[in-house]
Amino acid sequence: MSKLIFEKSVKGARAFTLPESDIPPEKVSEEIPADFLREEDPLLPEVSEVEAVRHFTALSQRSYGVDSGFYPLGSCTMKYNPKINEWAARLPGFAGIHPYQPEETVQGALELMYELEQMLCEITGMDSFTLQPAAGAHGEMTGAMIIKAYHNSRGDTKRTKMIVPDSAHGTNPATANMLGYKVIEVKSDERGLVDLEDLRALMSDEIAGLMLTNPNTLGLFEENIREIAAIVHDAGGLLYYDGANANAIIGIARPGDMGFDICHLNLHKTFGTPHGGGGPGSGPIGVKSFLADFLPVPVIEKHEGKYHLNYNRPLSIGKVHTFYGNFGVMVKAYTYIKALGSSGLKAVSQNAVLNANYLRTKLAGCYDIPYNRLCKHEFVASARKQKKEAGITALDVAKALIDRRCHPPTVYFPLIVEEALMIEPTETETRERLDAFIEAMLEIDREARENPERLKEAPHRAVIRRPDETGAARNPKLKWTPKD
Ligand SMILES: *Cc1c(COP(=O)(O)O)cnc(C)c1O
């Protein structure tokens, strides 16, 4: 382990010298109450300028991102985000405006938001959008609030249950639960799709709706989506689309056409904003026209060529974010969509699907693929064969990939696949990168048979190897304490 910056500290070392203070010490104690004055100097590391630079450079090199290498983290769409998006978001006219500015001075920003909403409507087949939610899960919450407001507005208060598939992303049941719904699980059938018989049996006048993602978390397209929609609608429920990963469908299929009433998108997965470090995101939601009155306030309207923020919406669920959401992310999504155009967006989906199927086909000889047929932007492999034959688990495979300079796929999700390895290459990877990943995965499979002991100890080349993840979450040590 390299030394901490505090441990490198040498008394008197300086990276920068500030001019002597021109405030006499007596003046300081006169002006600042004694309680607020330090008795001793703060314990700060003292290092030379070059050591300070090396410290921060070393920290930056410890993190791994899409800009450093392959990152096939399923359900997360870790794709390359074109740098032109960052350029656009930093333009002074966008970056320097303030949300309290009068409407007439921010017409350009409002126009961008209005047009982005229109483009998202076109992409999803919805009628109205709000850009307020700051993340996918936040969009789900907003959508579930709209479902509730809709049923309540009709005096239909018996609907206290929400159906969620057993393959769902964890945020779906969590959202439904947070809104006070009882979560009812619908089973997947042997092909990995929603079990229609099970769904029919679950429907009643107590069901508020069904939350679904399509393609589902196995990367499979719900072929019976129209029938699913009919079953839910016939029983008076609404259909919610988790569109966090739209990489397989943009330009090709639309949730609005499939029968969904509400959907969210993750601009920070599909539309050009980097994510993963907890930075600002955006999870806009779209609704069909019969739900538009429930959208959060304000909504952006256009009258006689002028854009206007309308707060006067009696049926609105209210506000779900300060001001209007994360504006910088909207600028990036707008830039991304405009740069690609409709043929470019379609190519995104085609290449994402092609890349996923290329990997699936090449890995199928060594790893089990429980639902092994044409997939969309991702697929789920399993390390159950390696576990049975050599005691090598999905976690071991993930750690071994780190040694091969590759970010591991998502592991142990979805829950319905044993030793799951959920792989999403995305459309931005080259054939050569995909081939290198295939080679790494085949090599790990060989090592599982030839030298499982070594795999159990992987990663051998990482700064942090096998942390106690529970301990790190429950008893985090976030502060360095000097020895004396
Ligand atoms: C990422 C994801 C979400 C949640 O999005 P956040 O922005 O992380 O809140 C929801 N559903 C699916 C399928 C996802 O992949």
Side-chain angles (χ1 to χ4, degrees), residues 419-441:
E419 299 298 324
L421 295 156
M422 187 194 214
I423 301 171
E424 179 182 5
T426 83
E427 74 283 2
T428 57
E429 295 301 330
T430 61
R431 168 86 186 263
E432 291 69 29
R433 279 281 173 188
L434 299 181
D435 285 337
F437 175 70
I438 293 161
E439 188 43 50
M441 287 293 282

PDB file of all heavy atoms in Angstrom, residues 419-441:
ATOM      1  N   GLU A 419     -25.347 -17.845 -10.090  1.00  0.00           N
ATOM      2  CA  GLU A 419     -23.984 -17.387 -10.448  1.00  0.00           C
ATOM      3  C   GLU A 419     -24.015 -16.499 -11.702  1.00  0.00           C
ATOM      4  O   GLU A 419     -23.246 -16.683 -12.654  1.00  0.00           O
ATOM      5  CB  GLU A 419     -23.043 -18.584 -10.673  1.00  0.00           C
ATOM      6  CG  GLU A 419     -22.853 -19.474  -9.456  1.00  0.00           C
ATOM      7  CD  GLU A 419     -22.214 -18.739  -8.277  1.00  0.00           C
ATOM      8  OE1 GLU A 419     -21.351 -17.878  -8.491  1.00  0.00           O
ATOM      9  OE2 GLU A 419     -22.619 -19.026  -7.130  1.00  0.00           O
ATOM     10  N   ALA A 420     -24.910 -15.527 -11.670  1.00  0.00           N
ATOM     11  CA  ALA A 420     -25.150 -14.706 -12.863  1.00  0.00           C
ATOM     12  C   ALA A 420     -23.993 -13.768 -13.192  1.00  0.00           C
ATOM     13  O   ALA A 420     -23.383 -13.156 -12.313  1.00  0.00           O
ATOM     14  CB  ALA A 420     -26.430 -13.884 -12.663  1.00  0.00           C
ATOM     15  N   LEU A 421     -23.711 -13.683 -14.490  1.00  0.00           N
ATOM     16  CA  LEU A 421     -22.761 -12.710 -15.043  1.00  0.00           C
ATOM     17  C   LEU A 421     -23.527 -11.957 -16.128  1.00  0.00           C
ATOM     18  O   LEU A 421     -23.771 -12.497 -17.209  1.00  0.00           O
ATOM     19  CB  LEU A 421     -21.564 -13.429 -15.679  1.00  0.00           C
ATOM     20  CG  LEU A 421     -20.644 -14.227 -14.760  1.00  0.00           C
ATOM     21  CD1 LEU A 421     -19.920 -15.315 -15.544  1.00  0.00           C
ATOM     22  CD2 LEU A 421     -19.642 -13.306 -14.081  1.00  0.00           C
ATOM     23  N   MET A 422     -23.924 -10.726 -15.816  1.00  0.00           N
ATOM     24  CA  MET A 422     -24.800  -9.987 -16.727  1.00  0.00           C
ATOM     25  C   MET A 422     -23.944  -9.043 -17.574  1.00  0.00           C
ATOM     26  O   MET A 422     -23.370  -8.081 -17.066  1.00  0.00           O
ATOM     27  CB  MET A 422     -25.791  -9.200 -15.880  1.00  0.00           C
ATOM     28  CG  MET A 422     -26.854  -8.510 -16.656  1.00  0.00           C
ATOM     29  SD  MET A 422     -27.636  -7.342 -15.555  1.00  0.00           S
ATOM     30  CE  MET A 422     -29.304  -7.403 -16.149  1.00  0.00           C
ATOM     31  N   ILE A 423     -23.877  -9.348 -18.860  1.00  0.00           N
ATOM     32  CA  ILE A 423     -22.876  -8.714 -19.728  1.00  0.00           C
ATOM     33  C   ILE A 423     -23.520  -7.768 -20.736  1.00  0.00           C
ATOM     34  O   ILE A 423     -24.383  -8.172 -21.514  1.00  0.00           O
ATOM     35  CB  ILE A 423     -22.060  -9.814 -20.452  1.00  0.00           C
ATOM     36  CG1 ILE A 423     -21.368 -10.706 -19.396  1.00  0.00           C
ATOM     37  CG2 ILE A 423     -21.041  -9.197 -21.405  1.00  0.00           C
ATOM     38  CD1 ILE A 423     -20.709 -11.943 -19.965  1.00  0.00           C
ATOM     39  N   GLU A 424     -23.083  -6.516 -20.714  1.00  0.00           N
ATOM     40  CA  GLU A 424     -23.598  -5.520 -21.661  1.00  0.00           C
ATOM     41  C   GLU A 424     -22.416  -4.792 -22.299  1.00  0.00           C
ATOM     42  O   GLU A 424     -21.833  -3.896 -21.704  1.00  0.00           O
ATOM     43  CB  GLU A 424     -24.495  -4.502 -20.927  1.00  0.00           C
ATOM     44  CG  GLU A 424     -25.043  -3.436 -21.863  1.00  0.00           C
ATOM     45  CD  GLU A 424     -25.897  -2.378 -21.163  1.00  0.00           C
ATOM     46  OE1 GLU A 424     -26.005  -2.397 -19.931  1.00  0.00           O
ATOM     47  OE2 GLU A 424     -26.440  -1.521 -21.885  1.00  0.00           O
ATOM     48  N   PRO A 425     -22.065  -5.156 -23.525  1.00  0.00           N
ATOM     49  CA  PRO A 425     -20.865  -4.552 -24.125  1.00  0.00           C
ATOM     50  C   PRO A 425     -21.073  -3.116 -24.605  1.00  0.00           C
ATOM     51  O   PRO A 425     -20.120  -2.353 -24.652  1.00  0.00           O
ATOM     52  CB  PRO A 425     -20.569  -5.479 -25.303  1.00  0.00           C
ATOM     53  CG  PRO A 425     -21.868  -6.124 -25.651  1.00  0.00           C
ATOM     54  CD  PRO A 425     -22.654  -6.212 -24.377  1.00  0.00           C
ATOM     55  N   THR A 426     -22.291  -2.749 -24.955  1.00  0.00           N
ATOM     56  CA  THR A 426     -22.674  -1.462 -25.569  1.00  0.00           C
ATOM     57  C   THR A 426     -22.170  -1.333 -27.008  1.00  0.00           C
ATOM     58  O   THR A 426     -21.250  -2.030 -27.424  1.00  0.00           O
ATOM     59  CB  THR A 426     -22.223  -0.193 -24.790  1.00  0.00           C
ATOM     60  OG1 THR A 426     -20.882   0.120 -25.120  1.00  0.00           O
ATOM     61  CG2 THR A 426     -22.428  -0.335 -23.305  1.00  0.00           C
ATOM     62  N   GLU A 427     -22.749  -0.373 -27.701  1.00  0.00           N
ATOM     63  CA  GLU A 427     -22.463  -0.184 -29.134  1.00  0.00           C
ATOM     64  C   GLU A 427     -21.138   0.512 -29.396  1.00  0.00           C
ATOM     65  O   GLU A 427     -20.671   0.523 -30.533  1.00  0.00           O
ATOM     66  CB  GLU A 427     -23.599   0.628 -29.781  1.00  0.00           C
ATOM     67  CG  GLU A 427     -23.625   2.119 -29.447  1.00  0.00           C
ATOM     68  CD  GLU A 427     -24.165   2.439 -28.059  1.00  0.00           C
ATOM     69  OE1 GLU A 427     -24.488   1.493 -27.311  1.00  0.00           O
ATOM     70  OE2 GLU A 427     -24.244   3.634 -27.723  1.00  0.00           O
ATOM     71  N   THR A 428     -20.525   1.103 -28.363  1.00  0.00           N
ATOM     72  CA  THR A 428     -19.340   1.929 -28.654  1.00  0.00           C
ATOM     73  C   THR A 428     -18.038   1.133 -28.655  1.00  0.00           C
ATOM     74  O   THR A 428     -16.966   1.703 -28.824  1.00  0.00           O
ATOM     75  CB  THR A 428     -19.225   3.109 -27.660  1.00  0.00           C
ATOM     76  OG1 THR A 428     -19.182   2.599 -26.324  1.00  0.00           O
ATOM     77  CG2 THR A 428     -20.389   4.070 -27.792  1.00  0.00           C
ATOM     78  N   GLU A 429     -18.110  -0.182 -28.453  1.00  0.00           N
ATOM     79  CA  GLU A 429     -16.881  -0.989 -28.412  1.00  0.00           C
ATOM     80  C   GLU A 429     -16.519  -1.527 -29.800  1.00  0.00           C
ATOM     81  O   GLU A 429     -17.391  -1.865 -30.600  1.00  0.00           O
ATOM     82  CB  GLU A 429     -17.059  -2.152 -27.436  1.00  0.00           C
ATOM     83  CG  GLU A 429     -17.234  -1.694 -26.002  1.00  0.00           C
ATOM     84  CD  GLU A 429     -16.076  -0.874 -25.470  1.00  0.00           C
ATOM     85  OE1 GLU A 429     -14.923  -1.096 -25.916  1.00  0.00           O
ATOM     86  OE2 GLU A 429     -16.308   0.005 -24.622  1.00  0.00           O
ATOM     87  N   THR A 430     -15.215  -1.645 -30.037  1.00  0.00           N
ATOM     88  CA  THR A 430     -14.754  -2.161 -31.327  1.00  0.00           C
ATOM     89  C   THR A 430     -14.694  -3.689 -31.292  1.00  0.00           C
ATOM     90  O   THR A 430     -14.680  -4.308 -30.228  1.00  0.00           O
ATOM     91  CB  THR A 430     -13.330  -1.663 -31.638  1.00  0.00           C
ATOM     92  OG1 THR A 430     -12.459  -2.151 -30.614  1.00  0.00           O
ATOM     93  CG2 THR A 430     -13.272  -0.147 -31.662  1.00  0.00           C
ATOM     94  N   ARG A 431     -14.633  -4.256 -32.449  1.00  0.00           N
ATOM     95  CA  ARG A 431     -14.482  -5.708 -32.603  1.00  0.00           C
ATOM     96  C   ARG A 431     -13.247  -6.206 -31.834  1.00  0.00           C
ATOM     97  O   ARG A 431     -13.284  -7.250 -31.174  1.00  0.00           O
ATOM     98  CB  ARG A 431     -14.361  -6.016 -34.098  1.00  0.00           C
ATOM     99  CG  ARG A 431     -13.912  -7.402 -34.456  1.00  0.00           C
ATOM    100  CD  ARG A 431     -15.088  -8.355 -34.517  1.00  0.00           C
ATOM    101  NE  ARG A 431     -14.607  -9.712 -34.730  1.00  0.00           N
ATOM    102  CZ  ARG A 431     -14.561 -10.303 -35.926  1.00  0.00           C
ATOM    103  NH1 ARG A 431     -14.992  -9.672 -36.992  1.00  0.00           N
ATOM    104  NH2 ARG A 431     -14.104 -11.537 -36.041  1.00  0.00           N
ATOM    105  N   GLU A 432     -12.159  -5.423 -31.881  1.00  0.00           N
ATOM    106  CA  GLU A 432     -10.906  -5.838 -31.227  1.00  0.00           C
ATOM    107  C   GLU A 432     -11.079  -5.911 -29.708  1.00  0.00           C
ATOM    108  O   GLU A 432     -10.577  -6.827 -29.062  1.00  0.00           O
ATOM    109  CB  GLU A 432      -9.769  -4.866 -31.590  1.00  0.00           C
ATOM    110  CG  GLU A 432      -9.324  -4.921 -33.054  1.00  0.00           C
ATOM    111  CD  GLU A 432     -10.352  -4.375 -34.053  1.00  0.00           C
ATOM    112  OE1 GLU A 432     -11.144  -3.468 -33.676  1.00  0.00           O
ATOM    113  OE2 GLU A 432     -10.384  -4.839 -35.210  1.00  0.00           O
ATOM    114  N   ARG A 433     -11.777  -4.930 -29.144  1.00  0.00           N
ATOM    115  CA  ARG A 433     -12.037  -4.935 -27.694  1.00  0.00           C
ATOM    116  C   ARG A 433     -12.881  -6.145 -27.302  1.00  0.00           C
ATOM    117  O   ARG A 433     -12.649  -6.784 -26.289  1.00  0.00           O
ATOM    118  CB  ARG A 433     -12.793  -3.675 -27.269  1.00  0.00           C
ATOM    119  CG  ARG A 433     -11.939  -2.473 -27.097  1.00  0.00           C
ATOM    120  CD  ARG A 433     -11.202  -2.499 -25.758  1.00  0.00           C
ATOM    121  NE  ARG A 433     -10.277  -1.382 -25.759  1.00  0.00           N
ATOM    122  CZ  ARG A 433      -9.358  -1.153 -24.851  1.00  0.00           C
ATOM    123  NH1 ARG A 433      -9.215  -1.966 -23.823  1.00  0.00           N
ATOM    124  NH2 ARG A 433      -8.572  -0.120 -24.945  1.00  0.00           N
ATOM    125  N   LEU A 434     -13.892  -6.412 -28.114  1.00  0.00           N
ATOM    126  CA  LEU A 434     -14.771  -7.543 -27.805  1.00  0.00           C
ATOM    127  C   LEU A 434     -13.976  -8.845 -27.874  1.00  0.00           C
ATOM    128  O   LEU A 434     -14.116  -9.718 -27.003  1.00  0.00           O
ATOM    129  CB  LEU A 434     -15.959  -7.589 -28.781  1.00  0.00           C
ATOM    130  CG  LEU A 434     -16.884  -6.369 -28.788  1.00  0.00           C
ATOM    131  CD1 LEU A 434     -18.023  -6.574 -29.789  1.00  0.00           C
ATOM    132  CD2 LEU A 434     -17.462  -6.088 -27.406  1.00  0.00           C
ATOM    133  N   ASP A 435     -13.097  -8.960 -28.870  1.00  0.00           N
ATOM    134  CA  ASP A 435     -12.293 -10.174 -29.003  1.00  0.00           C
ATOM    135  C   ASP A 435     -11.349 -10.334 -27.808  1.00  0.00           C
ATOM    136  O   ASP A 435     -11.144 -11.451 -27.312  1.00  0.00           O
ATOM    137  CB  ASP A 435     -11.497 -10.153 -30.315  1.00  0.00           C
ATOM    138  CG  ASP A 435     -12.390 -10.443 -31.517  1.00  0.00           C
ATOM    139  OD1 ASP A 435     -13.464 -11.065 -31.322  1.00  0.00           O
ATOM    140  OD2 ASP A 435     -12.047 -10.040 -32.647  1.00  0.00           O
ATOM    141  N   ALA A 436     -10.805  -9.217 -27.330  1.00  0.00           N
ATOM    142  CA  ALA A 436      -9.901  -9.290 -26.175  1.00  0.00           C
ATOM    143  C   ALA A 436     -10.672  -9.757 -24.935  1.00  0.00           C
ATOM    144  O   ALA A 436     -10.164 -10.533 -24.115  1.00  0.00           O
ATOM    145  CB  ALA A 436      -9.256  -7.927 -25.925  1.00  0.00           C
ATOM    146  N   PHE A 437     -11.909  -9.302 -24.797  1.00  0.00           N
ATOM    147  CA  PHE A 437     -12.736  -9.721 -23.660  1.00  0.00           C
ATOM    148  C   PHE A 437     -13.053 -11.217 -23.752  1.00  0.00           C
ATOM    149  O   PHE A 437     -12.969 -11.950 -22.756  1.00  0.00           O
ATOM    150  CB  PHE A 437     -14.027  -8.897 -23.622  1.00  0.00           C
ATOM    151  CG  PHE A 437     -14.994  -9.340 -22.564  1.00  0.00           C
ATOM    152  CD1 PHE A 437     -14.725  -9.136 -21.211  1.00  0.00           C
ATOM    153  CD2 PHE A 437     -16.192  -9.972 -22.902  1.00  0.00           C
ATOM    154  CE1 PHE A 437     -15.620  -9.547 -20.221  1.00  0.00           C
ATOM    155  CE2 PHE A 437     -17.096 -10.386 -21.930  1.00  0.00           C
ATOM    156  CZ  PHE A 437     -16.811 -10.170 -20.587  1.00  0.00           C
ATOM    157  N   ILE A 438     -13.412 -11.665 -24.947  1.00  0.00           N
ATOM    158  CA  ILE A 438     -13.709 -13.089 -25.144  1.00  0.00           C
ATOM    159  C   ILE A 438     -12.480 -13.911 -24.753  1.00  0.00           C
ATOM    160  O   ILE A 438     -12.579 -14.896 -24.002  1.00  0.00           O
ATOM    161  CB  ILE A 438     -14.093 -13.358 -26.620  1.00  0.00           C
ATOM    162  CG1 ILE A 438     -15.431 -12.682 -26.945  1.00  0.00           C
ATOM    163  CG2 ILE A 438     -14.167 -14.860 -26.904  1.00  0.00           C
ATOM    164  CD1 ILE A 438     -15.700 -12.492 -28.425  1.00  0.00           C
ATOM    165  N   GLU A 439     -11.303 -13.489 -25.222  1.00  0.00           N
ATOM    166  CA  GLU A 439     -10.059 -14.186 -24.916  1.00  0.00           C
ATOM    167  C   GLU A 439      -9.853 -14.263 -23.396  1.00  0.00           C
ATOM    168  O   GLU A 439      -9.509 -15.313 -22.854  1.00  0.00           O
ATOM    169  CB  GLU A 439      -8.892 -13.465 -25.624  1.00  0.00           C
ATOM    170  CG  GLU A 439      -7.557 -14.170 -25.552  1.00  0.00           C
ATOM    171  CD  GLU A 439      -7.664 -15.688 -25.802  1.00  0.00           C
ATOM    172  OE1 GLU A 439      -8.274 -16.122 -26.795  1.00  0.00           O
ATOM    173  OE2 GLU A 439      -7.127 -16.429 -24.955  1.00  0.00           O
ATOM    174  N   ALA A 440     -10.102 -13.129 -22.701  1.00  0.00           N
ATOM    175  CA  ALA A 440      -9.930 -13.095 -21.236  1.00  0.00           C
ATOM    176  C   ALA A 440     -10.897 -14.068 -20.560  1.00  0.00           C
ATOM    177  O   ALA A 440     -10.512 -14.825 -19.651  1.00  0.00           O
ATOM    178  CB  ALA A 440     -10.153 -11.676 -20.720  1.00  0.00           C
ATOM    179  N   MET A 441     -12.130 -14.094 -21.010  1.00  0.00           N
ATOM    180  CA  MET A 441     -13.131 -14.976 -20.396  1.00  0.00           C
ATOM    181  C   MET A 441     -12.785 -16.458 -20.640  1.00  0.00           C
ATOM    182  O   MET A 441     -12.958 -17.296 -19.750  1.00  0.00           O
ATOM    183  CB  MET A 441     -14.533 -14.670 -20.951  1.00  0.00           C
ATOM    184  CG  MET A 441     -15.135 -13.374 -20.461  1.00  0.00           C
ATOM    185  SD  MET A 441     -15.530 -13.389 -18.688  1.00  0.00           S
ATOM    186  CE  MET A 441     -17.054 -14.334 -18.680  1.00  0.00           C
TER     187      MET A 441
END
